Amino acid sequence: MIIYHGGTDIVENPLIMTANKGRDFGVGFYTTTIKEQAERWAKRQALSRRAPHAIVNTYEYDTNEKQLKIKTFGDYSMDWLDLVVSCRQNGSYAHGYDIVIGKIANDDVGETVQAVVDGLTSKEFALSKLAFMKANNQVCFCTEKALACLKFTKYERVQ
């Protein structure tokens, strides 16, 4: 499978990032199967960091020969929301998965999730609202064992 990571650096050797508390699936190296999504994120990061370049890194990933614990969310669900809320509320929350694949809580979705985190709305109401929102995806590599499945293939500067 081909996946992408958008940012401002060429990342030939990905690392588990622990600095960003409150990420959807906890600490990890975040990627997507959607190149356009990685491009948008790279441009956003370049703008906010005042970096000279927006970079999309491309990887091949293969987990066939590894014994990994992978959690895949096909759509928004109570299970997905429980995990995202737990990770956002507690930056040291350990879910025990090597890789988590699922919908991303982008700006619109993120506001709905944050309302749950802040206790302003119920999970049931949030899920009914999320059913109408378009979402991108993310593949989070949460352990070193998972990162070993990635093979850097190239990078591109995006405008």
Side-chain angles (χ1 to χ4, degrees), residues 50-145:
R50 295 188 173 107
H53 303 289
I55 304 286
V56 172
N57 297 278
T58 304
Y59 306 88
E60 290 179 9
Y61 113 86
D62 179 14
T63 60
N64 289 336
E65 298 178 22
K66 309 283 188 208
Q67 295 289 0
L68 297 174
K69 190 169 182 188
I70 301 173
K71 178 65 176 176
T72 301
F73 297 100
D75 210 345
Y76 295 124
S77 65
M78 188 61 75
D79 194 25
W80 174 87
L81 186 58
D82 285 341
L83 180 64
V84 173
V85 168
S86 294
C87 290
R88 286 186 171 211
Q89 283 180 328
N90 179 357
S92 61
Y93 177 77
H95 49 63
Y97 299 110
D98 295 301
I99 298 173
V100 180
I101 303 167
K103 304 294 185 190
I104 187 170
N106 60 16
D107 293 342
D108 294 334
V109 175
E111 287 180 20
T112 301
V113 171
Q114 193 59 44
V116 174
V117 170
D118 294 340
L120 301 174
T121 191
S122 70
K123 289 180 181 178
E124 293 77 14
F125 179 76
L127 282 173
S128 69
K129 188 174 174 184
L130 291 173
F132 298 99
M133 294 184 181
K134 181 180 180 283
N136 290 322
N137 71 21
Q138 56 192 341
V139 181
C140 181
F141 293 81
C142 305
T143 64
E144 295 297 327
K145 186 176 177 182

Side-chain angles (χ1 to χ4, degrees), residues 4-9 30-32 37-39 41-42 45 55-57:
Y4 308 94
H5 173 81
T8 58
D9 299 306
Y30 281 78
T31 64
T32 181
Q37 177 184 324
E39 289 172 350
W41 182 252
Q45 291 297 299
I55 304 286
V56 172
N57 297 278

